[in-house]
Amino acid sequence: MLKKILTWGGIAFLIFFIAFRPNESADVFKNIGGGIMDVAEGFGDFFTSLVA
């Protein structure tokens, strides 16, 4: 039950954040995407150095 409440609360906060602060939410998503890309690039570099 608590997990369900926290999930719906998180979704509501996300919608509120996007609706009332679109520029800041876009920056957050850009930063998250950049972090994911950095991790993927690190894995790529690691596997490249393994084979080379």
Side-chain angles (χ1 to χ4, degrees), residues 28-40:
V28 167
F29 283 107
K30 274 191 227 177
N31 290 335
I32 291 171
I36 292 171
M37 289 302 296
D38 289 341
V39 169

Side-chain angles (χ1 to χ4, degrees), residues 2 10 20 25 28 32 44:
L2 180 63
F20 290 101
S25 61
V28 167
I32 291 171

Side-chain angles (χ1 to χ4, degrees), residues 10-34:
I11 291 171
F13 177 74
L14 183 64
I15 291 171
F16 175 81
F17 188 61
I18 291 171
F20 290 101
R21 298 196 182 267
N23 291 333
E24 290 87 354
S25 61
D27 289 339
V28 167
F29 283 107
K30 274 191 227 177
N31 290 335
I32 291 171

